[in-house]
Amino acid sequence: MAASDPELHDGDVFAGHRIDGVAGRGGMGVVYRALQLDLERPVALKLIAGSLAADEDFRARFVREARAAAAIDHPNVVPVYSAGEQDGRLYLAMRFVDGEDLRSLVRRGGPLDAERAARIIAQVGAALDAAHARGLVHRDIKPANVLLDGDHAYLTDFGLTKRLEGGETTVTGAGRWVGTLGYVAPEQIRGEPVDARTDVYALGCLLFYGLTGTAPYRRDSDEATLYAHLHEPAPDARDLAPDVPGPLAEVVHRALEKDPADRFPSAGDLGRAALAAVGDAPGPPPERTVARGAAAPGGGEETAVSPSDTPTELAITRVIGRRVRPWLAPALSLLAGAAVVVVAALLLTGGSGGDTKPTASTTTTTPATIGPGDLRTGRPMKVDPRPTSIAFARGRLWVTSARRNRLTGVPADGRGATRHINLPFSGGATSVAAGFGSLWVTNGNRSQLVRLALPSGRVEKVIDLPPGDAVLVAAGEGAVWVGRREGHSGSAATVIKVDERTNAIATQVLVGEEGVAGLTTGGGYVWLTNGKRSRITRIRPSDGVRKSLPIGAGPRGVAYGGGTVWVAQYDDYTLAKLPRGIDNKTVKQTVAAPVGVAYSGAGVWVAGYLADAVALHDPRTGGELARVDVGSNPFAIAARGERAWVTNLADGTVTPIRVDTVRPRP
């Protein structure tokens, strides 16, 4: 913040926000922890330094990028609540994020295991796909710009992106580039046009860092680092971390190709390839280009880079032969955050999209291209009788049975042997969820939660819960959550929070007479459908505060995705689409007696218990796109990308479903 900018103190009110403390400082200004007074919600309030706000080019860029960030509506995008000017000072209010960045995590605990690194990279890749689909190139992917809230990753510093549109002048000016030395692509260094593949290169560098604890081309000087990016072959991550799987090392190598055409065509493709390399996905789908406008290959503008982390300006001048104007580097350095509280200036992540036409090497599968007849089923896979829940993990579908005390794992691709894991309790298993590197299984009549290690299936912990019927489990939002119905002892229905690190019960949230029907997590909350009173409940993980509102008749399954809560309403044959605020909803007709619901990149999948069919719905409109007949009495459903798997209660099978035909947009 400029010396002339007055400091705000605790209790001060600025633009309708009460200041609660400083969260971080940087070249662009200061970020405060604040409370938005009219809605009484915590926010991160960013005040721009007066010296920057006085620059007309910067002001125009600030407004443009605030609008661009606010336009990305996705559960992993930190919402921008407001932006404006007061007393001559620019400000931005957004959701407050409390977490740790990737750099701090690796510095504290060392390199990540391959599975965790791949999951983080896949989420960042999805974030970049969402930006690229809007013609945005981030250009400064680095560990400090990735925030971690439990197992959820956010990409930060959206303010360093550049909206690439035809005819737009370069706001940063000629002869400068935006980026960080350890993660900058060769074309950035040379001042050539950048596109989505520039971010793919940086994402490969980020994956290398997560696996090894260092950037891939780290050298003794800035000049040597830049030269290595330009001319030296990509290093092998296994030279520094021998435990890195070979396929994952190959993913890094391809991402770091000097020629953008040799890299993955999209950041999402890199992420999916990383997951497949560690066995956490059934295999990546056909690759595709999702970037649009000038972010697409061949559509970028020339850019030059002004690294925020470089020790000297002279080093850059010597290498690229261009002078960096002194005011630019601090102007483009956003806040890295405090040691404990990490505040995102603007966060983005999301699914893939785009409207590029399919070619011989790329395909486009979006909800708009899926229509009747585009779903196909595979051969049903036999599991135990009455399979009541299903979860995807490590290339398998894990299925529980109401009649067996074991877990069945069938290969997601239909090839390979079925696996059975015996559970340490009598009676059937009621629910299964995957998360935090484990499988979590509930037992109803003994009110227990069992934690199993992946991939071994070894029982790690049996957690005794308070009396009642433990029937549902979900993993996410920093904990494991168990939905418990009333027991024979007269205990009330509750949702129990279990600490994933200590396996201890952290808190209980009373649900009471509303009942427990469906349970999931996402968007910063725990979501519960209440079958007895036809309501939906939103629970805040930090303190258990809940909000309950009426919904359609007979709500059962619930899923979160695309910034939206999706509820299967059994009694009126509808699918409800609710925003995270749950104050309004859109209702669409679907298959008869919908029970299970799941969300993936292809859309919203709904299992119709009385229709013996599964329907796929458009996540934007909620309308049905296609449906397909499956086994008898489909119940629980899991989905990933363009594939889904549904359990059939009557015949004890799992039916695989895939999107088979993709029609080009007219």
Side-chain angles (χ1 to χ4, degrees):
M1 187 165 63
S4 60
D5 294 335
E7 180 86 5
L8 297 181
H9 303 284
D10 292 5
D12 289 348
V13 175
F14 181 90
H17 302 85
R18 189 189 68 215
I19 304 302
D20 292 334
V22 174
R25 302 177 187 274
M28 288 190 69
V30 61
V31 173
Y32 294 96
R33 297 187 303 273
L35 182 72
Q36 184 178 346
L37 295 176
D38 55 354
L39 296 179
E40 294 188 348
R41 61 181 172 186
V43 302
L45 182 68
K46 179 178 180 179
L47 268 65
I48 305 301
S51 58
L52 297 176
D55 184 278
E56 289 303 322
D57 285 343
F58 180 87
R59 293 169 68 89
R61 179 174 174 228
F62 173 83
V63 171
R64 186 165 54 247
E65 292 178 350
R67 289 174 178 171
I72 302 176
D73 182 16
H74 189 275
N76 298 111
V77 176
V78 170
V80 176
Y81 297 143
S82 62
E85 180 179 352
Q86 178 168 305
D87 302 329
R89 302 180 69 180
L90 297 174
Y91 71 90
L92 193 70
M94 66 214 83
R95 192 175 74 190
F96 186 81
V97 177
D98 189 354
E100 182 179 32
D101 65 54
L102 181 60
R103 179 177 61 180
S104 299
L105 175 67
V106 172
R107 286 180 174 178
R108 175 175 54 82
L112 309 178
D113 63 77
E115 289 81 4
R116 188 175 189 187
R119 289 194 296 270
I120 290 172
I121 292 302
Q123 293 181 70
V124 178
L128 288 170
D129 272 3
H132 296 159
R134 286 175 167 80
L136 299 168
V137 180
H138 190 283
R139 301 188 303 163
D140 195 28
I141 309 300
K142 59 184 178 181
N145 284 346
V146 176
L147 302 185
L148 300 170
D149 183 4
D151 60 348
H152 193 104
Y154 296 95
L155 176 61
T156 74
D157 274 3
F158 183 63
L160 285 179
T161 64
K162 177 181 177 184
R163 190 171 190 85
L164 299 173
E165 297 176 335
E168 182 183 358
T169 59
T170 304
V171 176
T172 53
R176 298 183 299 278
W177 45 270
V178 175
T180 300
L181 278 182
Y183 306 86
V184 63
E187 61 268 26
Q188 283 178 285
I189 299 171
R190 291 190 292 261
E192 296 174 348
V194 299
D195 57 46
R197 298 168 300 177
T198 302
D199 285 343
V200 170
Y201 182 97
L203 189 60
C205 293
L206 191 72
L207 177 55
F208 188 98
Y209 174 86
L211 294 170
T212 67
T214 186
Y217 292 108
R218 185 172 181 178
R219 299 294 186 268
D220 293 334
S221 68
D222 296 341
E223 299 96 322
T225 298
L226 291 171
Y227 182 88
H229 279 293
L230 287 168
H231 302 295
E232 294 183 7
D236 191 330
R238 291 169 292 184
D239 292 341
L240 297 176
D243 291 338
V244 172
L248 190 58
E250 290 301 318
V251 170
V252 175
H253 191 277
R254 181 181 173 190
L256 298 185
E257 290 286 353
K258 308 300 183 189
D259 186 345
D262 294 331
R263 300 171 197 157
F264 293 94
S266 74
D269 285 326
L270 190 163
R272 288 183 285 272
L275 290 174
V278 298
D280 206 15
E287 294 178 354
R288 56 185 177 169
T289 297
V290 301
R292 292 186 287 182
E301 292 183 5
E302 287 191 3
T303 185
V305 185
S306 175
S308 58
D309 290 4
T310 53
T312 66
E313 175 190 335
L314 181 60
I316 306 301
T317 305
R318 285 200 297 261
V319 174
I320 66 175
R322 295 173 177 173
R323 185 69 178 172
V324 181
R325 287 158 67 180
W327 63 267
L328 184 69
L332 296 180
S333 298
L334 294 183
L335 306 173
V340 177
V341 178
V342 183
V343 179
L346 288 170
L347 306 180
L348 63 116
T349 187
S352 57
D355 57 2
T356 56
K357 294 182 180 180
T359 67
S361 60
T362 62
T363 59
T364 304
T365 301
T366 65
T369 67
I370 301 172
D374 287 346
L375 300 182
R376 296 287 184 271
T377 59
R379 178 179 299 176
M381 298 176 283
K382 192 67 178 177
V383 292
D384 286 331
R386 304 292 293 177
T388 54
S389 73
I390 186 170
F392 177 92
R394 302 295 180 89
R396 287 182 180 269
L397 285 309
W398 300 94
V399 185
T400 63
S401 167
R403 298 179 180 175
R404 297 278 177 86
N405 61 333
R406 69 180 186 181
L407 194 61
T408 301
V410 295
D413 59 6
R415 298 189 295 268
T418 297
R419 185 177 179 189
H420 296 287
I421 299 176
N422 292 324
L423 300 170
F425 50 67
S426 60
T430 51
S431 183
V432 59
F436 308 107
S438 301
L439 289 171
W440 306 82
V441 185
T442 54
N443 169 259
N445 57 0
R446 297 187 62 179
S447 194
Q448 291 179 324
L449 175 66
V450 178
R451 181 174 191 168
L452 302 115
L454 281 173
S456 67
R458 176 178 56 86
V459 175
E460 291 185 314
K461 183 70 175 179
V462 177
I463 304 166
D464 291 319
L465 305 173
D469 293 333
V471 292
L472 296 170
V473 63
E477 301 302 336
V480 179
W481 307 85
V482 178
R484 192 190 59 173
R485 293 178 182 155
E486 301 91 333
H488 299 297
S489 62
S491 57
T494 56
V495 174
I496 300 171
K497 179 181 180 180
V498 177
D499 190 307
E500 61 90 10
R501 293 165 297 180
T502 65
N503 299 313
I505 296 175
T507 188
Q508 296 187 62
V509 179
L510 180 65
V511 180
E513 63 181 9
E514 292 187 352
V516 173
L519 182 69
T520 194
T521 62
Y525 294 100
V526 179
W527 306 92
L528 175 74
T529 52
N530 313 121
K532 288 189 174 182
R533 297 185 60 195
S534 292
R535 299 176 71 87
I536 185 168
T537 294
R538 185 186 70 187
I539 300 172
R540 193 163 61 198
S542 58
D543 54 14
V545 172
R546 70 185 183 100
K547 181 179 182 180
S548 175
L549 291 175
I551 198 171
R556 297 291 184 90
V558 58
Y560 186 90
T564 302
V565 185
W566 305 89
V567 180
Q569 301 181 139
Y570 184 91
D571 291 346
D572 55 11
Y573 295 6
T574 58
L575 173 69
K577 175 185 179 183
L578 300 94
R580 191 165 50 223
I582 68 173
D583 294 320
N584 57 77
K585 63 180 182 291
T586 301
V587 178
K588 297 290 184 178
Q589 289 296 130
T590 187
V591 285
V595 180
V597 61
Y599 180 92
S600 76
V604 187
W605 305 80
V606 183
Y609 184 77
L610 299 181
D612 291 345
V614 167
L616 179 63
H617 286 251
D618 189 325
R620 293 172 301 221
T621 67
E624 183 177 317
L625 297 170
R627 69 170 62 188
V628 65
D629 292 335
V630 294
S632 183
N633 298 140
F635 191 77
I637 191 165
R640 196 174 185 88
E642 296 164 9
R643 304 173 70 186
W645 301 265
V646 63
T647 68
N648 304 297
L649 292 190
D651 54 15
T653 60
V654 171
T655 299
I657 310 166
R658 71 185 188 279
V659 177
D660 184 65
T661 302
V662 180
R663 299 187 181 93
R665 294 175 186 266

